[in-house]
């Protein structure tokens, strides 16, 4: 989130020091080899998180001077284009974002180097500019406030760590499984679930035998689909015989689409916001449930793709819990706009249930999901995400 990043940058400036994942620059680099070297060091940081190069702050005094008149200033697209033609091993480049903030009345740019398990990043060909050389097959990193010298490779213990990170050996078994879900080709469909071809001790099973799940009442999002018939099952992730994670699986639209059940959240108005006025369902993209949602989804199946689109018209998808909480504050601030949109939402939902009260209850939740998804787009546009 932009707001949280700005607050973090303010905290880092106030700390009056540099460290493992942040560096201050009074100006943008005039030498592109130095820029590339700094990006690689930050991408290979040892603290396993996003890293920042903060432009417009004096290193040493930590005075904010801004970058408005910096002739070497670059946009996010400039940074992406700059990295695009560099010869990285396997063609995998660090992902970067440029964020701009007003601090003490001055423009400060933050180059965010995204955390990844694709480490170590290094070049397969030398890159030169004005006598400076980022060397091929040299692995650079950052330890404390110091980058590996451009003419040297990192110490062996730091190189080992980066390779361990790439092979997920620094992660817990559950984190390893969730990361491996991103590569569907690693998984085979076996009896009652899936197993990982590379690490067959990781399995995913789906229980089809418990009648308890079939007695569950379909939730409102089932009625956003053409066929409201719904089944429930239990999914379990195991490492050998140890259960690492379990989740409730919803099989929707007559079996066309399977997903973990989204979580409940509540939009509460009123002075103390204690009443659950408008419940809705959501995922966060960094959650185990959403990673399983992606894993179970067959993007080549057009019918399934259609069902999924309708499902996410009434179920919200956030980047993380921080975005969700900030969005709820945004909706609370624009309460009148939300109520007006809800009252004028004229989408037709075919809801075949026993009573009018039950029908009205479902339709309100469907409309709530639709309206909140519309407002989420507006929210992201205002905060620079679109």
């Amino acid at each position: 989130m932009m707001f949280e990043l700005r607050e973090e940058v303010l905290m880092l400036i106030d700390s009056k020091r540099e460290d493992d994942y942040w560096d201050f620059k009074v100006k943008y680099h005039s030498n592109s080899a130095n820029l590339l070297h700094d990006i690689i060091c930050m991408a290979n940081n040892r603290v396993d998180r996003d890293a920042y190069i903060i432009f417009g702050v004096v290193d040493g005094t930590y005075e904010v001077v801004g970058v408005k008149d910096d002739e070497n200033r670059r946009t996010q697209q400039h940074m992406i284009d700059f990295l695009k033609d560099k010869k990285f091993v396997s063609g995998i480049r660090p992902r970067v974002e440029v964020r701009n903030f007003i601090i003490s009345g001055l423009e400060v740019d933050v180059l965010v180097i995204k955390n990844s398990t694709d480490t170590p990043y290094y070049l397969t060909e030398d890159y030169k500019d004005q006598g400076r050389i980022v060397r091929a097959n040299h692995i650079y990193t950052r330890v404390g406030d110091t980058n590996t010298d451009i003419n040297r490779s990192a110490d062996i213990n730091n190189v080992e760590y980066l390779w361990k990170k790439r092979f997920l050996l620094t992660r817990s078994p559950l984190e390893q499984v969730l990361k491996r879900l991103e590569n569907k080709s690693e998984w085979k469909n076996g009896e009652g679930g899936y197993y990982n071809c590379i690490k067959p001790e990781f399995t995913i099973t789906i229980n089809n035998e418990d009648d308890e799940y079939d007695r569950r009442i379909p939730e409102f999002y089932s009625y956003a689909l053409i066929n409201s018939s719904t089944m429930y099952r239990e999914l379990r992730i195991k490492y050998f015989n140890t259960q690492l994670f379990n989740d409730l699986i919803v099989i929707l639209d007559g079996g066309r689409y399977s997903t973990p059940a989204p979580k409940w959240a509540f939009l509460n108005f009123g002075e103390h916001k204690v009443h659950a006025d408008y419940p809705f369902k959501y995922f966060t993209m960094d959650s185990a449930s959403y990673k399983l949602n992606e894993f179970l989804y067959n993007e080549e199946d057009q019918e399934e793709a259609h069902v999924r689109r309708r499902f996410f018209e009434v179920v919200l998808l956030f980047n993380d819990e921080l975005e969700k909480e900030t969005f709820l504050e945004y909706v609370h601030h624009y309460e009148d706009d939300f109520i007006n949109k809800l009252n004028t939402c004229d989408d037709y939902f075919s809801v075949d249930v026993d009573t009018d009260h039950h029908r009205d209850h479902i339709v309100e939740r469907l409309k709530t999901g639709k309206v909140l998804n519309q407002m989420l787009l507006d929210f992201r546009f205002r905060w620079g995400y679109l």
Side-chain angles (χ1 to χ4, degrees):
M1 292 296 299
M2 292 284 285
F3 175 77
E4 284 75 19
L5 178 56
R6 183 180 185 279
E7 292 300 303
E8 185 176 8
V9 169
L10 287 171
M11 181 189 69
L12 296 178
I13 294 172
D14 289 342
S15 74
K16 297 189 181 302
R17 63 186 178 90
E18 297 175 332
D19 213 325
D20 298 89
Y21 66 91
W22 75 93
D23 192 12
F24 295 110
K25 302 288 183 185
V26 64
K27 293 182 177 180
Y28 275 78
H29 302 71
S30 59
N31 185 304
S32 58
N34 288 337
L35 171 60
L36 181 60
H37 174 250
D38 281 352
I39 290 174
I40 294 174
C41 288
M42 286 297 189
N44 287 335
N45 75 71
R46 284 291 311 265
V47 289
D48 198 13
R49 57 154 295 159
D50 291 354
Y52 311 132
I53 301 176
I54 304 167
F55 298 100
V57 178
V58 180
D59 179 13
T61 66
Y62 307 102
E63 176 189 1
V64 177
V65 295
V67 292
K68 182 178 179 181
D69 298 321
D70 189 342
E71 61 183 9
N72 295 309
R73 190 178 185 185
R74 300 176 186 243
T75 65
Q76 176 166 316
Q77 192 58 52
H78 288 147
M79 288 292 186
I80 293 171
D81 291 342
F82 170 69
L83 293 172
K84 188 180 297 181
D85 63 351
K86 304 304 179 288
K87 304 300 183 181
F88 281 92
V89 64
S90 301
I92 301 174
R93 298 163 180 80
R95 293 187 301 114
V96 297
E97 298 174 357
V98 175
R99 299 299 183 195
N100 174 265
F101 303 102
I102 302 298
I103 297 177
S104 301
L106 298 166
E107 289 186 76
V108 171
D109 286 352
V110 181
L111 177 61
V112 181
I113 299 94
K114 304 298 288 184
N115 188 33
S116 169
T117 57
D118 291 326
T119 59
Y121 293 98
Y122 61 93
L123 300 183
T124 57
E125 292 182 10
D126 287 354
Y127 177 77
K128 304 175 183 180
D129 186 37
Q130 303 174 53
R132 297 282 283 173
I133 305 174
V134 183
R135 299 187 181 277
N137 303 311
H138 279 48
I139 295 177
Y140 304 111
T141 187
R142 183 175 177 86
V143 179
D145 61 355
T146 305
N147 290 342
T148 307
D149 189 274
I150 200 169
N151 295 316
R152 299 181 57 192
S153 194
D155 294 340
I156 187 63
N157 61 309
N158 293 322
V159 174
E160 284 181 352
Y161 169 82
L162 294 170
W163 282 110
K164 286 180 179 178
K165 183 178 177 184
R166 186 184 191 92
F167 293 118
L168 307 176
L169 299 178
T170 61
R171 305 298 177 94
S172 69
L174 178 58
E175 289 176 300
Q176 292 183 45
V177 174
L178 295 178
K179 181 64 178 176
R180 291 191 178 280
L181 290 179
E182 296 174 9
N183 186 359
K184 295 183 183 182
S185 64
E186 283 188 12
W187 296 84
K188 296 298 181 185
N189 196 340
E191 185 177 349
Y194 304 85
Y195 67 91
N196 187 271
C197 298
I198 297 172
K199 294 181 72 69
E201 60 269 31
F202 292 138
T203 60
I204 300 172
T205 60
I206 299 176
N207 180 4
N208 294 312
E209 299 176 355
D210 195 336
D211 293 339
E212 173 191 347
Y213 296 116
D214 290 327
R215 292 194 294 270
R216 283 178 170 264
I217 298 173
E219 294 187 332
F220 70 91
Y221 48 78
S222 296
Y223 298 94
L225 311 176
I226 294 173
N227 186 341
S228 63
S229 64
T230 304
M231 297 183 291
Y232 294 90
R233 298 290 183 262
E234 183 184 27
L235 178 146
R236 297 173 183 172
I237 296 177
K238 289 186 176 182
Y239 175 60
F240 292 107
N241 290 322
T242 301
Q243 181 171 304
L244 303 176
F245 180 82
N246 71 303
D247 211 344
L248 182 67
I249 297 296
V250 188
I251 303 171
L252 296 165
D253 202 51
R256 291 183 181 85
Y257 182 61
S258 297
T259 175
K263 293 173 64 176
W264 281 111
F266 304 94
L267 179 60
N268 304 319
F269 294 124
E271 182 179 355
H272 302 292
K273 295 188 286 186
V274 295
H275 299 296
D277 298 317
Y278 297 97
F280 64 93
K281 285 277 194 171
Y282 77 98
F283 290 103
T284 59
M285 295 186 71
D286 59 356
S287 67
S289 292
Y290 184 70
K291 292 178 189 297
L292 286 164
N293 172 284
E294 292 265 274
F295 175 75
L296 294 172
Y297 169 53
N298 178 10
E299 58 272 13
E300 296 180 359
D301 186 324
Q302 293 301 311
E303 286 190 356
E304 187 172 350
H306 176 71
V307 177
R308 190 173 195 262
R309 282 194 298 272
R310 292 177 68 96
F311 174 77
F312 276 107
E313 286 178 358
V314 296
V315 173
L316 279 78
L317 177 59
F318 298 104
N319 290 311
D320 49 37
E321 288 288 340
L322 269 177
E323 185 184 42
K324 186 202 80 173
E325 293 302 324
T326 309
F327 173 67
L328 291 183
E329 290 298 323
Y330 168 85
V331 177
H332 192 264
H333 181 74
Y334 291 98
E335 176 183 351
D336 291 343
D337 187 36
F338 168 76
I339 298 298
N340 181 58
K341 282 181 165 61
L342 192 66
N343 289 337
T344 56
C345 181
D346 57 0
D347 286 336
Y348 176 77
F349 296 104
S350 178
V351 178
D352 183 15
V353 292
D354 294 338
T355 66
D356 290 343
H357 176 75
H358 190 193
R359 180 190 180 281
D360 293 344
H361 183 75
I362 291 170
V363 169
E364 182 176 82
R365 292 185 176 183
L366 290 167
K367 290 184 176 181
T368 297
K370 294 275 284 191
V371 169
L372 288 178
N373 264 318
Q374 294 167 11
M375 294 188 73
L376 182 58
L377 288 175
D378 295 337
F379 166 78
R380 287 173 172 160
F381 180 79
R382 288 171 185 251
W383 285 92
Y385 279 87
L386 296 176

